[in-house]
Amino acid sequence: VVSDVRGLVVMEEDGTQKILKKNDPISEHGGILTTGEFGNVLISLSDGKEVEIGPNSRVNISSPLPF
């Protein structure tokens, strides 16, 4: 689940792009997450851990994570 988002953060899954906002779920199938120049996203995992992705990043979420 997206706990916090600032700036432009986009998730691409199966050729479809979605601008992420707070409380959006992250698909268990993953996708490519891209942050803009001022983008930053904090993702909360089901095990209580958090993942923060900073500006100008492109992350391929391809392995099962505890979302």
Side-chain angles (χ1 to χ4, degrees):
V1 168
V2 175
S3 341
D4 191 31
V5 65
R6 298 181 194 274
L8 181 62
V9 179
V10 176
M11 175 66 82
E12 181 178 343
E13 182 184 352
D14 298 326
T16 302
Q17 292 186 340
K18 176 184 177 184
I19 295 174
L20 294 181
K21 59 187 183 304
K22 189 173 181 175
N23 297 320
D24 275 349
I26 301 293
S27 169
E28 63 185 31
H29 305 291
I32 298 174
L33 190 146
T34 305
T35 59
E37 182 178 1
F38 303 104
N40 187 301
V41 64
L42 184 65
I43 299 171
S44 294
L45 306 178
S46 62
D47 63 2
K49 295 180 182 171
E50 294 181 320
V51 176
E52 183 173 6
I53 301 169
N56 293 320
S57 297
R58 184 173 170 90
V59 178
N60 185 357
I61 301 174
S62 59
S63 61
L65 292 174
F67 293 112

